[in-house]
């Protein structure tokens, strides 16, 4: 009949059936509010017939048992469906039908045939995604078609954005079901911009604009989409995420190849890691006499954006300036820290593989400098506070948990980033409130990291660093200036 949640008989709140169509919540509501519609329903499966007629009205190849009168009057059946959507019992019967309309069912195949999205332009799938209100299966079909085509034309991702508010307008779809779609829509938007601007981009434009704004967010978004699609309720199939991921990797590899070409020419127009001291820290020392430095080992751009935002919230009133520097291969702590402490390039293998305790970032600037390694460890809490409060002119704390974590974990990227942000939020960021208001803070890193492309097919771990890629080579240089009263200055980012 019309589903498990039928209403029959008298009693408070009940409705009588109408039009000889049996008893169900949907039919009872229609008999009360749209008697002409109820009169056209068949004596059995009245609720199914109504909801399917509401979906099929105006579309071809409807099942022969659906009332032709309803199919011929889309406006009236649409108004009735809108009213029935507001009734919890009728909505329950729609949900019961929806569970039976899927890729493995006769009804599901009939719905797919009526839409015929594979044979039609992408705009047809976009229209379904924007207009569907009743069933999940048409949405899944539209999403699948768009995601198959997006890697060939990233600008099609603008149509995926129509799925972002499905939960607010669809009768059955909830926010958790659209999460993967929302992430993939963002991926397509970023890659569409990258595809348009990568050809001819200068090294500076690639490092300071395209990478942090449109490349760095993509791996995390793909990871979150994969996790969301693995949940049973997602509108996105995991295979569709992999289709988008494969297309994304091709474009991201093209960006890395462009970056490698710039690296061979010495990163023209960019800030090299060994010049951070002279060009960023030295002017702050000249103006304020002291600088606090937080160096987060292996903090690449996507992580840095979250961390800098979190720190800015912890230190309100400080203006924020965010720049980006490049670390040449090998992107390892030993060479990078030696370059930061000496102010000059450090060739591969010219320093011990593990940094010397005497290597203190920016020690070459002519000011007393000290460094606290493993600053986030519990037994260093008092030393860290003392460093921030009364340290020398160059007070450097090095947080090493990011690098330590990435070398021993195999969790998805989204999980790694979330764990890392949580760890820094708990152990390092709160300590920054001890930095005197008149002391500026520089937040930077020695290198980034990447996900190994051959992970799972050999002995290599999931994450590594040491080579030339945007993820490994581009590091943040954030300056949080001296504290100012609220409202006295605009924050610049």
């Amino acid at each position: 009949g019309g589903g498990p949640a039928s209403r029959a008989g008298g009693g408070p709140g009940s409705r009588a059936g109408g039009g000889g169509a049996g008893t169900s919540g949907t039919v009872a509501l229609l008999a009360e509010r749209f008697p002409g519609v109820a009169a056209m329903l068949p004596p059995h499966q009245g609720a199914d017939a109504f909801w399917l007629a509401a979906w099929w009205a105006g579309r071809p190849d409807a099942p022969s048992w659906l009332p032709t009168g309803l199919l011929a009057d889309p406006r009236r059946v649409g108004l009735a469906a809108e009213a029935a959507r507001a009734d919890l019992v009728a909505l329950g019967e729609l949900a019961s039908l929806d569970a039976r309309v899927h890729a493995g069912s006769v009804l599901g195949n009939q719905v797919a045939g009526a839409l015929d999205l594979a044979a039609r332009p992408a705009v047809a799938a976009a229209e379904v995604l924007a207009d569907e209100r009743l069933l999940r299966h048409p949405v899944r079909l539209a999403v699948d078609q768009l995601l198959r085509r997006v890697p060939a034309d990233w600008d099609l991702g603008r149509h995926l954005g129509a799925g972002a508010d499905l939960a607010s307008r669809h009768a059955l779809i909830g926010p958790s079901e659209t999460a993967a779609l929302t992430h993939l829509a963002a991926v397509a938007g970023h890659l569409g911009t990258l595809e348009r601007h990568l050809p001819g981009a200068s090294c500076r434009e690639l490092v300071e604009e395209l990478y942090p704004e449109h490349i760095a967010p993509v791996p995390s978004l793909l990871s979150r989409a994969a996790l969301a699609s693995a949940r049973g309720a997602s509108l996105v199939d995991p295979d569709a995420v992999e289709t988008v991921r494969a297309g994304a990797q091709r474009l991201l590899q093209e960006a890395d190849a462009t970056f490698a070409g710039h690296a061979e020419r010495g990163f023209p127009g960019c800030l090299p890691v060994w010049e951070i001291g002279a060009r960023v820290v030295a002017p702050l020392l000249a103006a304020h006499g002291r600088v606090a430095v937080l160096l987060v080992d292996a903090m690449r751009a996507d992580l840095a954006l979250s961390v800098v935002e979190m720190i800015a919230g912890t230190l309100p009133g400080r203006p924020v300036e965010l720049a980006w520097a490049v670390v040449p291969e090998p992107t390892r702590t030993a060479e990078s820290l030696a370059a930061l402490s000496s102010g000059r390039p450090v060739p591969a293998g010219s320093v011990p593989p593990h940094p010397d305790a005497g290597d203190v970032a920016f020690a070459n600037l002519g000011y007393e400098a000290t460094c606290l390694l493993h600053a986030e460890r519990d037994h260093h809490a008092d030393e860290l506070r003392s460093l921030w409060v009364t340290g020398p002119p160059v007070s450097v704390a090095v947080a090493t948990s990011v690098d330590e974590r990435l070398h021993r974990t195999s969790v998805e990227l989204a999980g790694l980033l979330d764990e890392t942000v949580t760890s820094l939020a708990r152990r390092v960021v709160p300590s920054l409130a001890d930095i005197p208001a008149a002391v500026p803070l520089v937040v930077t890193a020695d290198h980034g990291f990447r996900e190994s492309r051959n992970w799972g097919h050999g002995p290599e771990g999931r994450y590594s660093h040491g080579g030339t890629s945007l993820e490994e080579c581009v590091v943040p240089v954030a300056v949080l200036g001296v504290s100012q009263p609220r409202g006295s200055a605009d924050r610049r980012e």
Side-chain angles (χ1 to χ4, degrees):
S6 62
R7 288 174 175 166
S14 68
R15 301 190 185 106
T23 56
S24 77
T26 303
V27 173
L29 180 144
L30 294 173
E32 179 180 304
R33 301 190 190 182
F34 295 86
V37 171
M40 286 187 277
L41 295 176
H44 302 290
Q45 296 183 298
D48 285 359
F50 167 73
W51 287 117
L52 285 173
W55 186 85
W56 240 289
R59 290 190 170 100
D61 304 321
S64 59
W65 59 278
L66 294 183
T68 56
L70 291 184
L71 294 173
D73 195 351
R75 180 179 178 278
R76 180 163 64 158
V77 74
L79 291 171
E82 193 65 28
R85 280 179 41 159
D87 182 89
L88 291 179
V89 177
L91 193 62
E93 292 171 351
L94 173 61
S96 174
L97 169 66
D98 181 73
R100 290 175 271 128
V101 182
H102 52 78
S105 69
V106 173
L107 275 174
N109 292 336
Q110 289 176 313
V111 166
L115 295 173
D116 196 20
L117 295 179
R120 300 175 65 194
V123 67
E127 289 170 354
V128 171
L129 192 58
D131 298 340
E132 180 59 39
R133 298 292 187 273
L134 299 179
L135 299 175
R136 288 184 175 91
H137 188 50
V139 174
R140 291 194 178 100
L141 292 170
V143 167
D144 181 70
Q145 280 300 316
L146 286 172
L147 292 179
R148 287 176 184 273
R149 303 181 196 194
V150 156
D153 182 0
W154 293 110
D155 285 340
L156 290 176
R158 67 186 185 278
H159 297 309
L160 295 174
D165 66 341
L166 271 169
S168 66
R169 53 187 169 82
H170 195 281
L172 302 174
I173 290 173
S176 64
E177 297 173 79
T178 64
L181 183 60
T182 300
H183 296 318
L184 293 177
V187 166
H190 286 304
L191 294 182
T193 301
L194 174 63
E195 191 172 50
R196 288 191 298 273
H197 291 92
L198 181 59
S202 68
C203 187
R204 186 197 62 77
E205 289 168 337
L206 181 57
V207 167
E208 298 180 9
E209 298 172 18
L210 289 178
Y211 174 60
E213 293 178 23
H214 299 294
I215 298 175
V218 168
S220 174
L221 288 167
L222 287 169
S223 177
R224 296 184 193 283
L227 292 172
S229 72
R231 304 185 187 109
S234 177
L235 295 171
V236 178
D237 186 88
D239 288 343
V241 178
E242 292 309 307
T243 297
V244 177
R245 188 195 298 271
Q249 286 175 341
R250 289 191 292 271
L251 184 54
L252 296 181
Q253 287 171 16
E254 183 180 340
D256 271 338
T258 301
F259 179 68
H262 291 308
E264 292 176 358
R265 297 186 290 276
F267 304 111
C270 293
L271 171 66
V273 65
W274 55 84
E275 291 186 8
I276 294 175
R279 292 169 56 178
V280 178
V281 179
L284 293 172
L285 285 167
H288 305 285
R290 184 175 173 227
V291 175
V293 178
L294 174 63
L295 192 154
V296 181
D297 192 355
M299 182 171 64
R300 68 184 199 179
D302 49 4
L303 178 58
L305 291 170
S306 297
V307 171
V308 170
E309 181 180 10
M310 181 169 54
I311 292 173
T314 302
L315 304 176
R318 289 178 180 260
V320 180
E321 295 184 3
L322 180 58
W324 302 93
V326 290
V327 182
E329 186 177 351
T331 44
R332 298 188 302 226
T333 299
E335 285 86 356
S336 183
L337 186 55
L340 285 167
S341 65
S342 66
R344 62 179 184 270
V346 176
S350 63
V351 294
H354 299 288
D356 187 275
D359 281 337
V360 179
F362 314 122
N364 64 308
L365 298 179
Y367 291 78
E368 182 183 354
T370 191
C371 176
L372 177 62
L373 286 172
H374 312 298
E376 68 272 56
R377 305 228 174 136
D378 288 339
H379 64 277
H380 282 158
D382 291 339
E383 290 177 82
L384 181 60
R385 183 176 185 279
S386 177
L387 175 72
W388 294 145
V389 174
T390 62
V394 180
S395 301
V396 181
V398 180
T400 57
S401 61
V402 179
D403 191 72
E404 292 164 354
R405 180 176 278 106
L406 70 90
H407 284 301
R408 66 171 185 261
T409 188
S410 61
V411 301
E412 272 274 357
L413 176 62
L416 172 62
L417 295 175
D418 290 346
E419 289 175 6
T420 300
V421 170
T422 299
S423 174
L424 292 171
R426 183 174 64 249
R427 298 179 181 275
V428 176
V429 174
S431 75
L432 301 176
D434 291 326
I435 299 173
V439 176
L441 168 66
V442 174
V443 181
T444 189
D446 51 353
H447 57 77
F449 66 91
R450 64 176 173 82
E451 187 168 9
S452 304
R453 296 189 182 100
N454 295 323
W455 181 77
H457 301 284
E460 190 176 11
R462 184 160 193 169
Y463 304 101
S464 62
H465 57 85
T468 299
S469 69
L470 286 158
E471 290 175 312
E472 295 166 275
C473 294
V474 180
V475 296
V477 184
V479 177
L480 289 88
V482 296
S483 187
Q484 302 173 26
R486 287 183 180 271
S488 64
D490 293 331
R491 172 169 292 166
R492 290 179 293 165
E493 293 183 344

